[in-house]
Amino acid sequence: MAQTQTTATAVARPPLTAFSWKSAGIAIGALIVFDVLINVYERLYAFSKGLDYTSADYESYWMGMLFAELVLEAVTAGALWGWLWMTRDRALDRLSPAEELKRYWALGLFVLTYTYAAYAGASYFTEQDGTWHQTVIRDTDFTPSHVIEFYQSYPIYIIFGVGSLVYAMTRLPQFAKAFSLPYVVLVGSPAMIFPNVGLNEFGHTRWFMEELFVAPLHWGFVTFGWGALAILGTWLQICPRVLALVNHVYYGKPIQSPAEVMKDPQSSVNPAACAACAM
Amino acid sequence: MQYSQVDAEAKAVARKFDLVVIMSTFLALIAGFHVHQMLVAGDWSFWVDWKDRNWWPIVAPIMEITFPAAVQAVLWTRFRMPIGATFCCLGLLFGEWMNRYINFNGWTHYPLNFVFPETFIPAAVVLDIVLMLTGNWIVTALVGGELWGWLFYPTNWVMIAPYHLPVEYQGSLMSVADVINYMYVRTSTPEYLRIVETGTMRSFAGGVTGVAAFFSAFVSVCMYVPWWLMGAHFFGSTKFFKTYESASTEVKHA
């Protein structure tokens, strides 16, 4: 999205401080610290307190954690999504270009945070679950690794993913009136990994099997994981509009109004229109 | 305000957006590609005794040409960037090493030379180069897909060769990797020898690897095509569904 032309501009420009990394730094930094602490907890209490589901220690160290995190996640999801909805912009058709550009930056940081959380859940903690299962015999669906992977890391990325989608739908004209196919896939498909845990756990309970990680029982996770590829289409939708806004705000080039974008969002992702703006 | 300052501000903002796009795409691809890889070919990746000459050269390449093909479809057709496969495989390797080092080694204390992952970086670079030179995804499927399957075993050979050396252990002939398997008990992991060393696969012994790579290359070609198409037309789609108003209007008219 580099710009090469310089022309006069009469449009209000946002200050550069509006494009700060601070909020994503805080969010991702907090998630990293949290993930490290969770790993420490697991190292301290998985083997020492988490091998016998019927023990009192298991109840307090692992089932207690499970119930606490489920409650916290439900409250956080409700609060974040609810707040985003209740504070939605009801006059999006009159959104100024500078404000729209700032909101795209906020959306970018939201998506970045979501992808970190998705990496932690789908990559790091999921293979960590392989480490655990191939080392010890399972005696419960709520084994220590699952308490962290399934019921903690997955809901966390779902909270951020859905949150980013709600942000886009409530604050950006492009996403206000019509669902974006790639964005819905990017958020919805990995989110379905969490319900798929039901299939997985039923299967492992019904057929007490060796832990073959490539077992067909696990392929639901695989299929839903493919949805991460839709980040490509999502950025392909967003980038032309951001480029048009940069061209408009800094170089005074013509741009579609928010009302036009809301009416026909498909027109805002036409790379040809975008290139015409840059000419 | 100087034009040059406005220009500098615009470029600074555009660069920041570029960084967000690159970093988030990299993280998303690690998440999707790694969960795919570990659950369709992961057992072969986790353990050195599973890195055999029969099934590993078949399963790993054909399951892992998927994401590279899809990402190539977008990065090449939209941006003329011939880095899609390498970008994917670098992310996969990062995700794998993070867990092997911190968890397999750091938590459950298996030695790293028992749990190191395979690499697809060399094969991915070749796949990208074929696309760059030909500029044609069908040719890339046919030539690059074949090379992808053929190159996997040789480009990993340097890492696994020491573990394929034969040893006599308690009166039986086995490999160093097999002996490591017996030394480190994995309570829930199936014994791979029981699965792999059967029937004709064992009878044809040394000839198996070439045939496995040949078969793998064929299926890799076949896998590349649908994944390119999915990348180009579904995951890289920029489609919006109809607006609520227009959909409602159509329903009313109907």
Side-chain angles (χ1 to χ4, degrees):
Chain A
M1 286 186 285
Q3 308 302 304
T4 55
Q5 297 183 358
T6 303
T7 57
T9 173
V11 182
R13 299 197 314 277
L16 274 181
T17 51
F19 302 98
S20 164
W21 296 94
K22 190 176 174 183
S23 56
I26 291 172
I28 296 174
L31 284 173
I32 290 173
V33 169
F34 179 73
D35 289 341
V36 169
L37 292 176
I38 285 298
N39 268 270
V40 170
Y41 186 90
E42 199 173 27
R43 274 153 180 71
L44 289 174
Y45 303 120
F47 282 108
S48 62
K49 314 286 185 188
L51 294 180
D52 181 1
Y53 179 64
T54 60
S55 69
D57 276 347
Y58 199 101
E59 187 68 22
S60 55
Y61 281 86
W62 290 104
M63 294 310 287
M65 185 181 187
L66 174 67
F67 295 133
E69 68 193 17
L70 287 176
V71 171
L72 276 173
E73 286 152 9
V75 170
T76 306
L80 177 65
W81 302 344
W83 177 78
L84 285 169
W85 177 254
M86 295 304 291
T87 58
R88 67 189 179 276
D89 190 336
R90 292 172 170 82
L92 275 176
D93 54 340
R94 297 195 299 274
L95 189 64
S96 74
E99 180 61 24
E100 189 178 348
L101 189 59
K102 282 162 57 180
R103 290 185 186 181
Y104 271 110
W105 176 248
L107 177 68
L109 298 185
F110 217 146
V111 172
L112 181 62
T113 308
Y114 164 55
T115 55
Y116 168 75
Y119 153 71
S123 170
Y124 182 81
F125 284 115
T126 302
E127 194 173 294
Q128 182 188 259
D129 189 51
T131 311
W132 174 254
H133 284 310
Q134 301 202 316
T135 308
V136 302
I137 297 274
R138 69 173 80 205
D139 71 337
T140 169
D141 297 326
F142 302 107
T143 195
S145 175
H146 286 187
V147 171
I148 289 169
E149 179 207 5
F150 290 157
Y151 306 107
Q152 188 177 96
S153 71
Y154 291 177
I156 286 174
Y157 77 65
I158 290 170
I159 289 170
F160 280 103
V162 174
S164 76
L165 183 60
V166 175
Y167 181 92
M169 293 172 68
T170 54
R171 282 154 176 81
L172 288 166
Q174 199 178 24
F175 299 99
K177 293 288 184 183
F179 276 113
S180 149
L181 170 65
Y183 204 161
V184 168
V185 172
L186 173 66
V187 172
S189 184
M192 283 300 293
I193 287 178
F194 184 54
N196 187 70
V197 168
L199 163 68
N200 187 69
E201 294 314 281
F202 179 80
H204 278 292
T205 306
R206 177 62 185 84
W207 301 284
F208 200 78
M209 58 184 83
E210 289 178 311
E211 188 60 38
L212 195 63
F213 231 47
V214 298
L217 178 63
H218 293 157
W219 292 350
F221 295 121
V222 175
T223 312
F224 292 124
W226 295 346
L229 279 165
I231 195 164
L232 299 166
T234 305
W235 286 129
L236 286 174
Q237 284 182 327
I238 290 173
C239 285
R241 180 65 182 169
V242 170
L243 179 60
L245 284 165
V246 169
N247 276 333
H248 180 69
V249 169
Y250 292 97
Y251 301 108
K253 300 288 173 62
I255 191 172
Q256 281 184 304
S257 70
E260 289 172 322
V261 172
M262 288 168 72
K263 188 177 179 187
D264 182 14
Q266 199 69 57
S267 64
S268 68
V269 300
N270 181 1
C274 191
C277 275
M279 290 294 285
Chain B
M1 182 65 68
Q2 294 286 323
Y3 290 153
S4 58
Q5 187 177 342
V6 175
D7 193 44
E9 278 187 28
K11 284 177 177 169
V13 171
R15 288 286 175 269
K16 285 188 170 186
F17 273 103
D18 287 344
L19 280 174
V20 165
V21 169
I22 292 167
M23 290 190 296
S24 62
T25 304
F26 189 64
L27 287 167
L29 290 179
I30 299 175
F33 197 13
H34 192 191
V35 77
H36 164 93
Q37 182 272 346
M38 76 177 79
L39 295 171
V40 295
D43 300 280
W44 284 270
S45 180
F46 298 157
W47 313 108
V48 74
D49 61 310
W50 279 65
K51 291 181 171 59
D52 69 307
R53 65 187 188 281
N54 297 342
W55 288 111
W56 182 50
I58 296 173
V59 175
I62 67 176
M63 298 315 298
E64 292 176 39
I65 199 171
T66 49
F67 272 57
V71 176
Q72 275 191 335
V74 174
L75 293 192
W76 179 253
T77 56
R78 303 280 186 158
F79 303 102
R80 283 293 181 265
M81 291 172 68
I83 60 167
T86 309
F87 191 61
C88 272
C89 293
L90 192 64
L92 175 64
L93 200 63
F94 174 83
E96 289 178 328
W97 267 107
M98 284 294 285
N99 188 63
R100 305 303 161 83
Y101 184 74
I102 297 174
N103 291 316
F104 275 98
N105 180 247
W107 185 29
T108 50
H109 308 303
Y110 294 112
L112 273 177
N113 61 2
F114 190 26
V115 296
F116 65 87
E118 75 288 350
T119 178
F120 274 93
I121 300 282
V125 170
V126 170
L127 196 65
D128 280 333
I129 288 174
V130 172
L131 180 61
M132 181 180 69
L133 292 178
T134 65
N136 184 308
W137 72 275
I138 295 290
V139 177
T140 305
L142 294 170
V143 178
E146 278 286 333
L147 288 172
W148 177 271
W150 278 109
L151 286 174
F152 174 68
Y153 199 74
T155 53
N156 280 273
W157 177 248
V158 174
M159 292 191 291
I160 62 168
Y163 306 99
H164 282 213
L165 290 174
V167 290
E168 186 181 332
Y169 181 70
Q170 295 185 341
S172 296
L173 178 66
M174 51 184 67
S175 68
V176 172
D178 296 330
V179 175
I180 296 176
N181 153 53
Y182 283 117
M183 292 296 106
Y184 289 91
V185 175
R186 293 158 290 173
T187 316
S188 286
T189 308
E191 290 172 24
Y192 192 54
L193 279 175
R194 192 185 68 205
I195 299 172
V196 70
E197 292 291 354
T198 55
T200 51
M201 293 295 260
R202 185 163 205 180
S203 306
F204 287 121
V208 167
T209 308
V211 174
F214 200 16
F215 176 39
S216 170
F218 162 64
V219 183
S220 294
V221 172
C222 298
M223 288 288 278
Y224 187 94
V225 174
W227 277 86
W228 172 283
L229 293 171
M230 281 199 292
H233 300 295
F234 183 69
F235 295 118
S237 161
T238 55
K239 180 179 171 56
F240 280 93
F241 293 106
K242 288 174 185 167
T243 60
Y244 313 127
E245 285 83 358
S246 64
S248 305
T249 307
E250 282 183 19
V251 170
K252 283 174 187 169
H253 285 309

